[in-house]
Amino acid sequence: AGLILPKSMFQPRLKNAPVTFDTVKRLAGLFRTSQTATAIRLVELSPFPCCLAAVTSTGIAWSCFSSEVPKDKVKLRSQPGRNTYVFELLRSSAEFVGADEVSCREWIENVPSYQYRVHEHSVKVLPDLALSLLWWKDDAYVIDLEEAENDEGD
């Protein structure tokens, strides 16, 4: 990724850019790269807590997280919940069905409360494969995880 999407050229274009496939499409066009490669690099270099998940009808095939997400504390469910955009997307012929906030519980295991939300933007890339960008606009969930970790260490 560093050769075709060099950090020195890619990262400045991320300043305050939302973690959405609109941003991915803009950057993919600029760098002439695939949506998948660009989305991975977006997540790798994003200053925001976010992740990318490749989802099929049988579950999450793979995922990657930004450095802002404590990977040891955030574990994606094996299958996204029914109240996600990707759930609807994979059961329709559409390539896109919407993007908005959903409950973290729909995506993440062991979420202590329904109050936590994550912004989901999912697009279909193959008939049985969708990519989902998850972005904590309100990073209260991530902050609470870090504070809980610090309390455990005290």
Side-chain angles (χ1 to χ4, degrees):
L3 291 175
I4 58 171
L5 297 165
K7 182 178 181 179
S8 62
M9 294 175 69
F10 194 87
Q11 201 162 33
R13 289 166 173 83
L14 293 181
K15 277 198 174 171
N16 299 318
V19 182
T20 66
F21 280 99
D22 298 328
T23 301
V24 169
K25 287 177 187 174
R26 179 178 58 81
L27 293 169
L30 183 66
F31 287 93
R32 296 186 178 149
T33 52
S34 71
Q35 278 193 60
T36 303
T38 307
I40 291 169
R41 194 66 166 159
L42 170 68
V43 168
E44 287 176 346
L45 298 177
S46 178
F48 303 112
C50 59
C51 78
L52 174 68
V55 185
T56 69
S57 59
T58 59
I60 296 175
W62 56 264
S63 62
C64 61
F65 293 86
S66 71
S67 61
E68 299 298 312
V69 177
K71 293 170 216 49
D72 59 328
K73 297 282 185 188
V74 176
K75 183 174 181 345
L76 293 179
R77 293 171 50 164
S78 60
Q79 178 80 4
R82 292 179 177 269
N83 296 317
T84 60
Y85 288 99
V86 76
F87 184 87
E88 181 181 344
L89 185 63
L90 288 171
R91 283 149 185 83
S92 76
S93 60
E95 291 183 13
F96 174 75
V97 292
D100 204 350
E101 288 189 350
V102 298
S103 170
C104 281
R105 284 187 169 195
E106 298 293 327
W107 279 97
I108 300 165
E109 291 184 1
N110 302 324
V111 176
S113 169
Y114 281 105
Q115 75 186 22
Y116 299 114
R117 312 286 291 170
V118 64
H119 186 85
E120 175 192 347
H121 193 179
S122 298
V123 295
K124 193 180 289 185
V125 292
L126 294 171
D128 189 41
L129 177 66
L131 295 176
S132 296
L133 282 167
L134 305 175
W135 173 30
W136 287 267
K137 284 184 178 181
D138 172 7
D139 58 359
Y141 174 64
V142 175
I143 291 169
D144 286 353
L145 284 173
E146 290 169 347
E147 287 177 358
E149 184 175 347
N150 290 338
D151 289 347
E152 290 171 10
D154 291 342

